[in-house]
Amino acid sequence: MRNGLSETKRIPNWIMALLAFSCGIIVANLYYSQPLVGPISIATHLPLASAGLIVTLTQIGYVAGLLFIVPLSDLIENRRLVVATLGIVVCALAAAAFIHSGSLFLIAAMFIGLGSVAAQILVPYAAHLATEERRGQAVGNVMSGLLLGIMLARPLASFVTDLWGWQAVFILSAVITALLAIVLAIVLPKRAPSPTMSYRDLIRSLWSLFKTKAILRRRAFYQACLFGAFSLFWTIIPLWLSSHFLLSQQGIALFALAGVAGAIAAPVAGRLADKGWTRNLTGAAIIVAILSFPITHIFEDASPIALAVLVIAAIALDMAVSGNLVLSQRAIYSLGNEVRGRVNGVFMAVFFIGGAIGSALGGWAYAYGGWMLASIVGVSMPVGALCYYFTEKNH
């Protein structure tokens, strides 16, 4: 037996599909508020200058969860941990829907981020369930669900708000997340780790893992650079679409839907990683991310062709980020079962910080130099990853 599972038992495909669906549902909670900052700040009497804290505190909560909750998956039974963490999300979502105070809403936003790390407990959990030869495929399939959740959250939030108001977004998500927690509690196999250290030592070991595991540092840096470019793009592009192409909120939502096509790279990358193509595909993903910015300047007008090129750039960037994410997780999970939860927490925290930096730099660049300066800042991040990539030895 291994962690309560037989070595030879093959996990049904429907459980992997459920994990992918679950990750998408959970992680979407991080992104619902991004297109709703305006109406939320008005309803909660939050000053416009502080409205950006809605997104920032959600991200801070998520990073805190990655560093202090996700490592618990190496210490306590995973199914119970996932369900308990989802309970935090449900309570925070319900509170957010009915709060009328700006400061209290910000606290709820932070707890939404904190509880949403349940998705990052499920990803290494899927790797535990899969056999070694199918681990990349399993991680790729689950990550495709997570990435779809990220990409669909923004347009879905806009559409629901147009129909029933922004509170409906949080109420619906609270109900769906609660039902999901019940389903996972019933059907998921138990996975009980064999802890060799206390929680305090577990947290202290995070820095040690980052310092001693070269593959973790390298993969975290690659993904931080690519996700930083991704976050910059999707933070600024709604402003550019509105001002330059004169698209409505609904048009911007449809543009975001087009970017969902990039999620197809995740399962493909997972299968190819299982065949030993990780290093070459990593270089290809970084180059695609670099090219996705300059092609947006081929046509400087507001023509349909220019808009179509922008859609292609969005899909290409999303493919690069989602593909490299799966390649990276496939690589870091090879460090062993006993550290998989902590490794995943450190990896996700580092690359999520990269995303937060990208969003902040994007806002500054767009304010001072428009889409041109934002593109220059955006392309510099994967260029940095490419320079580091050239120092990687080909084993």
Side-chain angles (χ1 to χ4, degrees), residues 300-350:
E300 296 289 351
D301 56 13
S303 65
I305 295 177
L307 184 59
V309 170
L310 201 60
V311 170
I312 293 171
I315 294 173
L317 181 59
D318 289 0
M319 288 181 67
V321 174
S322 61
N324 191 70
L325 177 56
V326 172
L327 295 172
S328 296
Q329 289 187 297
R330 175 68 168 83
I332 64 172
Y333 289 164
S334 66
L335 292 173
N337 292 344
E338 68 281 358
V339 298
R340 192 165 288 149
R342 280 171 287 160
V343 162
N344 190 62
V346 172
F347 171 76
M348 296 296 295
V350 170

Side-chain angles (χ1 to χ4, degrees), residues 132-216:
E132 177 62 31
E133 63 271 12
R134 296 184 71 237
R135 184 160 292 151
Q137 181 180 347
V139 172
N141 289 339
V142 172
M143 287 307 300
S144 65
L146 185 144
L147 292 162
L148 280 171
I150 292 175
M151 295 172 189
L152 287 172
R154 298 180 186 93
L156 184 62
S158 296
F159 287 135
V160 172
T161 299
D162 284 341
L163 291 173
W164 301 301
W166 66 267
Q167 292 92 342
V169 176
F170 293 92
I171 293 171
L172 286 172
S173 186
V175 172
I176 293 170
T177 305
L179 293 174
L180 178 65
I182 294 170
V183 172
L184 294 178
I186 294 171
V187 306
L188 283 187
K190 286 187 176 181
R191 189 258 154 182
S194 302
T196 58
M197 60 180 70
S198 66
Y199 178 70
R200 178 181 294 181
D201 291 336
L202 202 70
I203 298 302
R204 287 176 176 171
S205 71
L206 296 178
W207 171 247
S208 176
L209 283 171
F210 185 76
K211 185 171 63 173
T212 60
K213 305 298 183 183
I215 191 172
L216 175 60

